[in-house]
Amino acid sequence: MTDTSDMDGFDRKILAALQVDARLSNNELADKIGLSPSQCSRRRARLEETGIITGYHATVDKERAGFGLTSIISVTLSTHNADSADRLAKLFARIPNIQEVNQMTGDMDYYVKVVTPDLKALTKLITEELLAHDAIQNVKTAIVLESLKETSALPL
């Protein structure tokens, strides 16, 4: 199984159920989707081995964990070359407050989603990490007032 064309309805049901609750046992999963526990176990293992399931994660409430401020930062590069992009990717990877990075078309080069405890921590991240990097020319920051929807679940 290397792409979605190799998945059948049961595989999709397994993925959908695990997106809701990744702690489901094979017996519970089997009851939910109508297969035997052994079939569910084999299918889950195959979905993991082929990289369709990439991991299992706990969903943590940001505010209760001390990260009450979410921001979206638009990053514009000063130079566009492979070396700058590689160094910037390494910078993004080492900053734990960065939750998401997308390379974009249009006016900005990257869209960066960041969580911080407060405005002071956000300011420090921008000035000491992002603006200090020689490949970054400009950043524009928008503070999220309220998240109306936030999910990583796919519409299976």
Side-chain angles (χ1 to χ4, degrees):
M1 182 183 321
T2 57
D3 62 32
T4 58
S5 65
D6 294 332
M7 290 193 317
D8 64 13
F10 286 115
D11 291 327
R12 291 181 183 283
K13 287 179 182 179
I14 289 171
L15 293 172
L18 291 174
Q19 284 184 131
V20 173
D21 185 359
R23 296 180 296 177
L24 289 172
S25 69
N26 282 322
N27 288 339
E28 294 167 325
L29 190 57
D31 287 343
K32 283 191 174 290
I33 67 166
L35 285 176
S36 71
S38 63
Q39 287 176 315
C40 281
S41 178
R42 282 191 297 275
R43 284 173 177 265
R44 184 194 307 223
R46 189 179 74 236
L47 291 166
E48 291 168 351
E49 289 166 7
T50 58
I52 292 176
I53 294 177
T54 59
Y56 298 91
H57 311 279
T59 303
V60 178
D61 184 288
K62 291 182 289 196
E63 288 188 33
R64 289 182 181 180
F67 296 93
L69 189 66
T70 302
S71 305
I72 307 300
I73 302 173
S74 302
V75 175
T76 307
L77 299 180
S78 54
T79 58
H80 293 84
N81 59 50
D83 180 57
S84 291
D86 185 50
R87 288 185 301 113
L88 198 55
K90 288 177 183 171
L91 172 72
F92 292 148
R94 76 170 176 77
I95 300 174
N97 297 74
I98 294 178
Q99 290 193 307
E100 184 177 340
V101 178
N102 294 290
Q103 190 173 20
M104 307 296 290
T105 61
D107 295 337
M108 70 176 128
D109 294 306
Y110 294 93
Y111 159 102
V112 181
K113 181 179 175 185
V114 176
V115 292
T116 55
D118 51 35
L119 193 55
K120 183 176 181 177
L122 174 64
T123 302
K124 182 177 179 178
L125 186 148
I126 291 169
T127 57
E128 295 180 12
E129 298 284 354
L130 299 180
L131 289 175
H133 196 282
D134 62 343
I136 296 177
Q137 177 182 347
N138 187 32
V139 299
K140 292 181 184 176
T141 305
I143 293 174
V144 175
L145 297 177
E146 180 180 8
S147 291
L148 301 178
K149 180 179 180 179
E150 190 168 346
T151 182
S152 61
L154 297 174
L156 299 168

